[in-house]
Amino acid sequence: RVGSRTAAGLDRGIPRLVGLVHSLAVKMVCIRPATVDDLLAMQACNLCCLPENYQMKYYFYHMLSWPQLLYVAEDYNKKIVGYVLAKMDEDSDDVHGHITSLAVLRSHRKLGLASKLMRAAMAAMEETFQSEHVSLHVRVTNRAAFTLYSENLGFEIHDVESKYYADKEDAYDMRKMFETGLKKQEANRLKKEKKDKDKEREKEKDKEKEKGKEKEFAKENGKEKDNEVVEDAPDAAAAGDAAGAEVGDDEKKKKNKRKQ
């Protein structure tokens, strides 16, 4: 009995211990803006975690262009255990950000670090650049990343890009709208509705004008017909008088013959 009680106590204690370790691990990792000194560690993390790798000049390009959008996850030993590499898209009409790369070391996964890194970068896009939305690409077979983006962070599939990656795998083009973008969409929707209503009004006005023209045309035709009837009436009367005169002459001739 003592042994069974001890085993039961251990079974109840293990989940608590795991939860305690998890909470301590999360507290001992901080999310902070990246610096130039972090770039080598970020590249090392990328090489450990992802098949898509970049030369150091690409990290420098991001750091020099958009230093506000690079964040790292650093543990209590000052080791970089995760990062997010992001930028603003300059080849588009609308202002929007793009997540170039996101990675967390396997030893520090399931601690919510990827979500925190993403939220930090997205907040900077909104606050610093007034971004309308953020985009990213993810492999169609990467279900864990897809779940993170779609369920935890609110991204939606915008398109599927065929053979996007070097190994010819397809990618989901995913996007998340920011408040600025949503307001712009709503303003455009209202503007379009107003324009459509104005077009309908113009069509109605054109229809009324056409009806008015048809009525005027009908009235003009009616007047012309009335005039024709009036003009034909004297001719008909004259024809009737002539016919009456001929009948009178015939009757006179008949009377004269009887007298004779």
Side-chain angles (χ1 to χ4, degrees):
R1 289 182 181 177
V2 174
S4 61
R5 288 177 182 174
T6 304
L10 286 172
D11 290 340
R12 288 194 298 270
I14 287 173
R16 294 177 184 173
L17 181 61
V18 171
L20 180 61
V21 171
H22 182 277
S23 62
L24 287 173
V26 172
K27 289 178 182 178
M28 289 189 292
V29 177
C30 71
I31 306 298
R32 62 168 176 80
T35 66
V36 174
D37 294 333
D38 297 319
L39 295 182
L40 280 172
M42 291 169 66
Q43 186 183 43
C45 185
N46 168 265
L47 292 170
C48 286
C49 301
L50 300 173
E52 294 79 41
N53 310 128
Y54 314 102
Q55 295 181 4
M56 181 50 63
K57 64 181 180 181
Y58 196 56
Y59 291 91
F60 271 110
Y61 167 64
H62 279 71
M63 177 60 73
L64 294 173
S65 302
W66 308 281
Q68 306 93 331
L69 304 183
L70 279 67
Y71 284 84
V72 293
E74 183 182 64
D75 71 1
Y76 63 96
N77 285 324
K78 302 298 181 182
K79 179 182 178 181
I80 302 302
V81 297
Y83 74 90
V84 61
L85 192 68
K87 65 177 183 176
M88 296 303 298
D89 196 331
E90 297 174 335
D91 300 325
S92 177
D93 294 333
D94 58 346
V95 180
H96 74 274
H98 182 77
I99 304 297
T100 304
S101 181
L102 171 71
V104 176
L105 293 179
R106 191 175 295 277
S107 59
H108 286 73
R109 291 178 187 173
K110 298 185 184 292
L111 300 177
L113 299 180
S115 295
K116 290 180 180 179
L117 288 165
M118 285 288 293
R119 288 193 173 95
M122 291 190 296
M125 289 177 187
E126 282 194 272
E127 293 169 7
T128 307
F129 299 99
Q130 291 73 53
S131 178
E132 296 174 16
H133 72 270
V134 57
S135 63
L136 58 83
H137 292 96
V138 61
R139 290 175 179 269
V140 295
T141 57
N142 192 343
R143 302 310 301 175
F146 179 79
T147 301
L148 167 70
Y149 298 135
S150 60
E151 296 184 11
N152 293 4
L153 297 171
F155 280 76
E156 295 179 351
I157 296 174
H158 176 73
D159 197 6
V160 179
E161 297 198 19
S162 178
K163 300 178 181 178
Y164 177 81
Y165 292 99
D167 58 3
K168 307 302 181 184
E169 184 175 348
D170 297 346
Y172 289 129
D173 175 6
M174 303 188 75
R175 298 186 181 183
K176 176 183 172 66
M177 296 301 299
F178 293 141
E179 187 176 353
T180 302
L182 291 172
K183 287 181 179 178
K184 184 177 179 180
Q185 281 186 347
E186 181 65 14
N188 289 337
R189 185 184 67 80
L190 294 174
K191 188 176 180 181
K192 185 177 181 299
E193 285 183 0
K194 185 178 181 299
K195 189 180 287 186
D196 292 340
K197 286 180 181 179
D198 290 341
K199 283 183 180 179
E200 287 297 324
R201 287 172 186 164
E202 288 296 325
K203 285 181 181 179
E204 290 297 325
K205 286 181 181 179
D206 291 339
K207 285 180 182 179
E208 291 297 325
K209 286 180 181 179
E210 287 296 323
K211 286 180 181 179
K213 287 180 181 179
E214 288 176 1
K215 287 180 180 179
E216 288 295 326
F217 183 72
K219 284 182 181 178
E220 291 296 327
N221 283 346
K223 286 180 181 179
E224 289 178 3
K225 287 180 181 179
D226 292 342
N227 290 335
E228 287 176 3
V229 171
V230 172
E231 288 174 359
D232 290 343
D235 295 336
D241 293 341
E246 289 179 1
V247 170
D249 292 340
D250 290 340
E251 287 181 355
K252 285 179 181 180
K253 286 178 181 179
K254 287 179 181 179
K255 288 180 180 179
N256 290 332
K257 282 182 181 181
R258 287 174 187 171
K259 288 178 179 180
Q260 293 175 359

